[in-house]
Amino acid sequence: MMKKLLIFLFFIGCNTTNNSLTEKKSVSIDYKFFEYEELVNLFYEWREFEKPPRLNGAPDYTKKRFKEDHEKFLDLKNRLYAFDISNWNISNQIDWHIIKAEMNGYEFNYSVLKPWERDPAFYQTIWMRQSDVPAHEGPTNHGVLEFWMYNLPLDGDYKKKFQNEMMSIPSFLIQARDNLKGNAKELWVAGIENFRKQFNNLNIIKSKLNLNKNDNISVAIDEAKIATQNFIEWLENESKNKTGPSGIGKDNYTWYQQNVHLVPLTWEDEVRLLQRELDRAWASLKLEEHNNRDLPQLISADTPEEFKKLTENGVKRFMKFLKEKDIMTVKDNMEPALREHMGKFVPKETRNFFNIGLHLDPLPLYSHFVHWFDLAMMRDEPHQSPIRREALLYNIFDSKNEGYATGAEEMFMHAGLYEDSPRSKEIVWIMIAQRAARGLGSLYAHANEMTMAEAGNVHVKWTPRGWMNREPHLLQFEQHLYLRQPGYGTSYITGKYLIERIMTEYAEKLEKEGKIFSLKEFFDAFNNTGNIPVELVRWEMTGNKPKNYE
């Protein structure tokens, strides 16, 4: 930093000398700029620290390593708090709070959540698909193998990278046996399924690579399969002795939401909000059904040809709506991003919750797929702030990304998306009810007032039309994820609510100023803030500083 400062002052000095030939001018230095640059440097240092060193080729989550690193963490935290940001502009203050939230997340993981001790699924290494949010959902280790990112056939440096990642799996699972000392019974039992899936994915990878059995990568895959199968057996045996709760409790949940994900709600607030949204969604569905009672029912696409026609028409309808209704600025990368995720035909008897709606009208789900617009924007238009360019740690982005995706479903409906298909509005209300129900169940699971299975029953019972009745795999995945990642199950609804509050305050501000509210300008401003907690978006868009952000 001192080097940058000297260079900057050198050029100021040169300019001053030249100007002094004709007139004398004073030179002022914006020290707040240099302070912010120091914050960015601290951010890079923090992110480098947050990545654990390697132990036998795998990330080191041993108790010894955490203990050795704790003083360094406290030093980073103290340096963050040493900044006086009171006179910084709002955008730079927000960046400071982002780093603070991440450090709070690290500290919470260190003292409470402890996924490396309590959560066997934390040690899952193989990921076959890209997440639809900036990073993988839930606590994820730093050594994952992102198979979806590799181009086949493997060659050059990518082949070596792939081999090294595959070779790390056996040593990582050996380390896991020493680290996993927790007693969270449901996390242990549910985590077994993650490794059964990993074993199956290793078989899929091997078949896709089509390697000679003596190839080094083929050997590494076989060794990873053996290690994964042994780990499954170990988990099955150990889980029999686990007796403890898996939820973190109401007080911890509230602290985590308010200080890490920056959701200004308590556990009790979220229960009330999600129950209200569940009731509203059911009531609105019944009113919509009454209004549509003389209209024909939607007809599902029951052949691949019908599905292709339905989804192609859906993409065109959706993009036309965004453009012609002035919903948001339509960019060149948006339609291609949507087309990559149009969905695949699924036979009627095996459709899960989301596929049922997708085969009736894809637009409710395509509205949720503003997710892919977010990711395209991250890739093609990196945020001007280095602190906001990459995914925030610990899923801190959830209120923005999941709240926006869920909010878009209803907002686009109210903005006229289904003028040509009123029955499609019923799907929107069903989807909101489902998200409220599953989030409500997750809250009771974290309070240890329900088991994961009982939380799942809430999810199933209060999803209209029985659309979750045949959902054992989706149901297990979602409730397990929400138990692993506090606040994620509710973020769809809490984030949606907080975005609606931004729209309220933003519109009221414009009204006071005698200006016209534009939905396009609202969404453009909203998207340009980056994938940060909604409460910080609110501050940037309205100037309304959150309480206790001193």
Side-chain angles (χ1 to χ4, degrees), residues 26-37:
S26 61
V27 177
S28 62
I29 300 173
D30 184 357
Y31 286 102
K32 291 192 291 295
F33 169 80
F34 292 115
E35 291 171 352
Y36 179 74
E37 284 290 293

Side-chain angles (χ1 to χ4, degrees), residues 1 35 37-47 49 71-85 88 96 99-100 103:
M1 183 63 217
E35 291 171 352
E37 284 290 293
E38 287 294 343
L39 180 72
V40 172
N41 290 337
L42 178 63
F43 169 73
Y44 288 136
E45 193 174 342
W46 148 245
R47 283 299 191 90
F49 163 83
E71 287 300 317
K72 177 69 180 296
F73 168 72
L74 294 177
D75 175 66
L76 289 166
K77 184 178 177 181
N78 289 336
R79 286 165 57 193
L80 178 70
Y81 279 83
F83 285 95
D84 179 4
I85 66 171
W88 290 14
W96 183 91
I99 302 174
K100 177 186 175 184
M103 289 188 178

